């Protein structure tokens, strides 16, 4: 994973504020992470690794499946969105706020009359 780009955005208004965003890419050139540093008085130092999510550094991460499709996005709040694809690479399902569920644990917590046969 390498540091790729600093992005600067100017906000219009009574004052101009510059916000900094860093991007990291995998060896294939796909964006795997973006870190929003917000409006700082000076540019942050360029880390060689993706920073840890915090209240001051907002990190968004993307994971790719074996076919190269972006199937998982984790936002700065830790909310995961997932996408499922068919064999032709078309989106067949989008799952917002994805949570991995262990079906066995879920069934153990159901009242006995609600458990499937």
């Amino acid at each position: 994973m390498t540091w790729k780009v600093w992005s600067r955005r100017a906000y219009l208004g009574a004052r101009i504020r510059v916000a900094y965003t860093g991007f990291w890419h995998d060896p294939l050139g796909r964006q795997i992470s973006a870190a929003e540093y917000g409006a700082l008085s000076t540019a942050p130092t360029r880390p060689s690794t993706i920073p840890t999510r915090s209240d001051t550094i907002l990190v968004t991460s993307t994971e790719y499946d074996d076919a190269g499709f972006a199937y998982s996005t984790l936002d700065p709040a830790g909310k995961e969105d997932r996408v499922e694809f068919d064999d032709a690479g078309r989106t067949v399902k989008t799952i917002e706020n994805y949570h991995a569920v262990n079906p066995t644990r879920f069934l153990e917590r159901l009242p006995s009359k609600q458990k499937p046969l």
Side-chain angles (χ1 to χ4, degrees):
M1 294 181 258
T2 58
W3 175 261
K4 191 68 172 179
V5 176
W6 272 116
S7 170
R8 292 175 51 147
R9 294 184 310 228
Y11 296 98
L12 300 177
R15 298 180 185 173
I16 293 179
R17 295 173 32 161
V18 177
Y20 295 92
T21 305
F23 301 93
W24 287 262
H25 296 78
D26 67 9
L28 298 176
R30 302 174 298 191
Q31 181 177 313
I32 56 171
S33 192
E36 301 251 354
Y37 289 84
L40 304 173
S41 57
T42 60
T45 57
R46 297 181 176 194
S48 60
T49 60
I50 299 167
T52 304
R53 286 175 171 76
S54 71
D55 291 339
T56 56
I57 303 172
L58 306 178
V59 179
T60 301
S61 304
T62 304
E63 292 184 25
Y64 297 87
D65 63 16
D66 293 337
F69 298 110
Y71 78 93
S72 175
T73 302
L74 191 63
D75 74 6
K79 187 184 89 168
E80 183 177 10
D81 294 336
R82 291 237 176 150
V83 180
E84 294 180 6
F85 305 94
D86 65 10
D87 292 338
R90 297 174 296 216
T91 301
V92 294
K93 186 189 291 186
T94 300
I95 307 165
E96 295 179 349
N97 203 18
Y98 172 84
H99 291 281
V101 176
N102 180 340
T104 305
R105 276 190 81 188
F106 175 74
L107 291 174
E108 289 171 357
R109 294 165 55 203
L110 282 176
S112 60
K113 58 180 146 173
Q114 290 183 354
K115 289 184 181 178
L117 299 173

